Each structure stands twice: as C-alpha cells, then as structure tokens.
Amino acid sequence: MTFCLGITVEEGLVGIADTRITSGNELTSAQKVSIYQNGQGAFFLMTSGLRSVRDKTLTYFEETLETCAKPFDKLYKVVNAFAAELRRVATEDKAFLAESGLGFNLHVLIGGQMTADASHKLYLVYPEGNWVEITEGTPYHIIGEGGYGKPVLDRTLKYSDPLRMALKVGCLAFDSTRISASDVDFPIDVVLCHRDGLELVQHRYEKEDLADISAWWQEHLRGLVHDLPSEWIDNVASKLTKVCGKPGCLPDSK
C-alpha cells in the first residue's frame, strides 16, 4: 500500500509521499514522487499502484517531455500527455496483468504551475487516463491508504490555511496512517510549491526527524481526551442497571 497526499491552499501546494514498497513478504523503500523543473514551470508527480506500470509510464512520459516540439505551458497539458502514455501502457500490458491476477491500478497526483497557468494546480489521474482537478472545496486528495489520515485533514485543513499549516496537517495525517497501517512508513518525501514561484522545494524526513512531533501529537491527543467534558458520560452511567450475569436473568423491576 501507499500513502501519497496532495494538498492545495491559497499559498501553494504540499505533496507528501511515503517510500514503503511491499512485494509479498518483502519490504523495500523506493521514491514515489518525481520532480520536473524547467524554464516553463515546475510540477511534481506521485503514484500509487503497480510499480511496473508506474516505471513504464514514466519512461514514456519523460521521453514525451524531451521530444515534444513545443514545451507545455499549462499543467493540464502535462496531465493530458501523461494520461496518453498511461493509456498506451494499458493497451500494451493490461490484459497480460489481468491474466496474472494483477489489476491495472495506477493512480497519480500531479501538482505544480506552468508559465501560462493563472495559479498553481493539482490533478488526480485515474487508471483509465481520465482526470479531475482538486480544488478548494475539498483541498486535498490521498491515493493509497487514505482512511486513517482523512479524519485529521477533514477536521483541520482549510483552503485559506498558510502553507506551513498545510504541511503540519499533512505530516499528522501521514503519522496517523503510519501508526495504523503496517505497509506505510518512513522515510517520507515532502514537496512544496509556492504560488507563482514556478519552482519546487523537496525534502526527505527520516523517522527520527519527526519522532518528537509524533510523540507530542500522541500525548496531546490523550490529554485532550482526558480533558473532554464528561457530564454526558456521568448521566448515562448513573442510569446503568446491574445485571446478574446468568442466562435469562432480568433486572429487578421497581
């Protein structure tokens, strides 16, 4: 499984990807985010799904970037180019993968800004090659293991939040996933894209880099639960009736 998270806020984009690769009983680490920067802008690409499909599609896509007659000036054109190569790989490999019991399941997050874009953009590409834009209504998307980190994001993240806040929330969403999902783990790769900056910043965090943050978060969560008002529990507890513990035994009637 994979944890790849893309966040869009007014100030820019945050991308977070774990590096755990699971193949049968074997656990390895490999980068799941790719960075592309040139004079026409910058974007990142994160994937969840079969590694072989990812690698082949990226190889074809990078050849397209190198050989296209005119550089892409808008990010949606980049997304269309990637989708075309994804469909090409599906034509070549999908049937053979199905014969082996493997699904053609590549999901992709592409985020960045090109010179003709009015602002930064974030897209989700499906295995079929169709795509949607991630916008301020729901300013994030997770591909891979999304169930554990989603509550943190839904409760705390707003499109108006600064980029630093988005990074904090994103790392907490990863930490919640890492605690509960054995196939998601450090190190994680973080990508930041500032609005109108046309360049990206990338950094890798090892487990020890965020150990204090994880411990702080867990301890404060426990403290908040302890401090939660309990009158509503006391009211219910006072109405509980003791039972005898024997089959067919009914509480005494008054």
Side-chain angles (χ1 to χ4, degrees), residues 38-110:
N38 56 38
Q40 295 298 312
F43 63 93
F44 63 86
L45 186 154
M46 301 187 293
T47 61
S48 170
L50 283 176
R51 189 77 182 182
S52 61
V53 173
R54 172 196 183 275
D55 289 352
K56 190 172 185 179
T57 305
L58 278 182
T59 298
Y60 288 171
F61 173 64
E62 289 173 356
E63 184 177 43
T64 296
L65 293 179
E66 294 171 358
T67 59
C68 61
K70 185 178 180 180
F72 300 117
D73 61 350
K74 289 196 172 185
L75 192 61
Y76 86 85
K77 297 178 182 179
V78 174
V79 175
N80 280 342
F82 182 88
E85 300 307 335
L86 182 59
R87 293 190 182 105
R88 176 184 172 187
V89 174
T91 300
E92 295 175 353
D93 295 351
K94 188 173 182 179
F96 297 104
L97 291 171
E99 288 178 5
S100 301
L102 298 173
F104 193 88
N105 61 350
L106 195 72
H107 289 76
V108 186
L109 288 170
I110 301 177

Side-chain angles (χ1 to χ4, degrees), residues 3 16 18 170-178 184-186 188:
F3 178 90
I16 300 175
D18 84 315
C171 286
L172 293 179
F174 163 76
D175 192 64
S176 297
T177 305
R178 176 188 67 84
V184 172
D185 207 352
F186 285 100
I188 58 172

